[in-house]
Amino acid sequence: MPDWIDLHVHTLASDGSDTPVDVVRMAAELGLRAVAVTDHDTFAGLPEAIESGARYGVEVVPGVELSTIYDGVEVHVLGYYMDAGHPRLRAMMARATAERNARNETMVQRLHDAGYPVTMDALHAEFPGQTMLGRPHISEYLMRRGYVASVQDGMKNLLGRGKPFYVARYNIPLEESVETLRAAGGLPVVAHLFKYRYTPEQLTAMVDAAAAAGAVGLEAMYTNYTPAQEQAVRVLAAERGLLCTGGTDYHGARKPDIALGRGFGNLRVPYALLEKLKEYDA
C-alpha cells in the first residue's frame, strides 16, 4: 500500500479549529506520512507544526493558501516550500493582512451600529491564537450568542455577498501572487479549480494565466471533486506540463464533514505526488 498524505490543511492560525500541534498529532495517529499546513495568508502556524512533525514522525510541508483575484473572481493559490522571510513575499502578505483587517473592522462596525453586540476586541478574546480572523469567526461569534442559527446561516444572511453587512474583499492579482511565490523559492499550485464557477473556457484561461506567471501545478485531487472533475484537472495539468497535488481542505470543527487525510471519506492522496513536487523543487 502507498503512503498517504494531505497537502491542504488549515489550523487555528487561520480559520481551522485545531492547533498546528493537534493537526500533526492527528496526522500521525491516522498514519499519514506527510501533511502540508496551508493557512490562509499567514505563516503563523508553521514553526509549531514543523517542530511537532519532528516529534511525531510526520513530514510537515511548509505551505500557505493565498487569496488572489483573476478576472473578477477570487482564486486560491497554494504555495509550498517558500522562504517565509523573503522580503517581497512578506510585503505582499502584509498588504493582504492589512486589507483583511480593515475589512473585518468595517463589517464589525456595521454590525455593532445595527445593534449586534460584537467588537474587534471581543472577537480577538473569543478566538485566542487565531491570527487571521474573518467572516466565519464573526458568524460563529453571533451564533454562540443566539443571533444566527449557524455559522452558515450568518454567512449567508448577514455577511454573504449582497447582504447588509458584507464588505467586498481586496485580493492580490493572481499573476502577482504566483510570481511572488516563485521569487521566494515557492512552488505555486492552483487550488480547488471547480469552486470558482468558471465556464470551461474561463477555467482554461485562468489556468493558462497562472502557468504563464510560474505556477507549477494544479490541485487534481480534492475533497468534493467528482471523478470526471479530477480527470479534467489531470488533463489540464498534463497538457501544460504541470504537476498534480491533492488535499482535503481540512478545517476541523469548522468543516466537520471533512476528515483529515480522507475528505468526505473517499479521498486518498499518494505520497508519490509530493515526491514529484520535491523533485521539482530540487
Side-chain angles (χ1 to χ4, degrees):
M1 294 291 290
D3 296 302
W4 306 116
I5 63 174
D6 193 337
L7 296 180
H8 191 162
V9 174
H10 298 278
T11 78
L12 195 67
S14 63
D15 59 345
S17 65
D18 302 316
T19 68
V21 171
D22 286 339
V23 164
V24 175
R25 176 185 52 78
M26 286 189 290
E29 292 171 352
L30 292 168
L32 296 180
R33 182 172 172 182
V35 63
V37 171
T38 55
D39 280 311
H40 292 283
D41 303 314
T42 181
F43 301 129
L46 291 183
E48 186 179 321
I50 291 168
E51 188 277 331
S52 300
R55 187 191 323 162
Y56 289 107
V58 175
E59 182 178 347
V60 174
V61 179
V64 70
E65 185 171 9
L66 300 180
S67 299
T68 81
I69 193 80
Y70 179 79
D71 195 22
V73 176
E74 183 174 311
V75 174
H76 288 189
V77 174
L78 297 162
Y80 301 105
Y81 298 111
M82 62 282 132
D83 173 9
H86 190 275
R88 179 175 164 187
L89 178 58
R90 292 196 71 84
M92 184 183 76
M93 292 181 65
R95 183 177 13 144
T97 298
E99 295 285 352
R100 182 191 292 265
N101 290 341
R103 180 199 195 207
N104 288 338
E105 290 168 3
T106 301
M107 288 188 291
V108 166
Q109 188 62 53
R110 289 182 182 179
L111 284 162
H112 189 270
D113 291 346
Y116 292 92
V118 58
T119 65
M120 287 306 303
D121 286 343
L123 278 178
H124 285 293
E126 189 86 0
F127 300 103
Q130 301 222 231
T131 58
M132 302 298 292
L133 296 176
R135 289 183 300 156
H137 302 96
I138 299 170
S139 187
E140 184 171 340
Y141 182 94
L142 295 174
M143 178 194 71
R144 291 177 180 180
R145 284 152 182 81
Y147 286 90
V148 295
S150 65
V151 173
Q152 292 74 19
D153 175 49
M155 292 281 285
K156 178 180 179 181
N157 295 310
L158 294 179
L159 297 164
R161 189 180 300 273
K163 299 304 179 179
F165 306 103
Y166 176 80
V167 174
R169 178 174 172 173
Y170 171 82
N171 287 317
I172 307 294
L174 171 70
E175 295 91 340
E176 180 184 348
S177 295
V178 170
E179 291 167 358
T180 303
L181 280 169
R182 287 301 299 270
L187 301 175
V189 172
V190 182
H192 42 61
L193 278 76
F194 292 98
K195 275 196 171 184
Y196 311 126
R197 299 181 181 178
Y198 281 128
T199 65
E201 293 77 17
Q202 291 171 324
L203 182 65
T204 298
M206 183 271 288
V207 168
D208 286 341
V216 306
L218 305 178
E219 192 169 42
M221 302 181 72
Y222 184 70
T223 287
N224 57 3
Y225 281 174
T226 65
Q229 287 174 330
E230 179 179 331
Q231 181 59 26
V233 178
R234 289 186 179 278
V235 169
L236 275 174
E239 289 176 345
R240 288 153 182 80
L242 299 173
L243 301 174
C244 291
T245 69
T248 61
D249 208 355
Y250 175 77
H251 282 72
R254 296 233 161 78
K255 293 184 179 181
D257 294 337
I258 299 176
L260 184 66
R262 294 300 299 267
F264 289 149
N266 297 317
L267 187 65
R268 282 298 209 184
V269 181
Y271 188 82
L273 297 188
L274 180 57
E275 286 182 317
K276 292 181 180 178
L277 196 67
K278 292 195 292 185
E279 289 168 3
Y280 191 103
D281 189 36

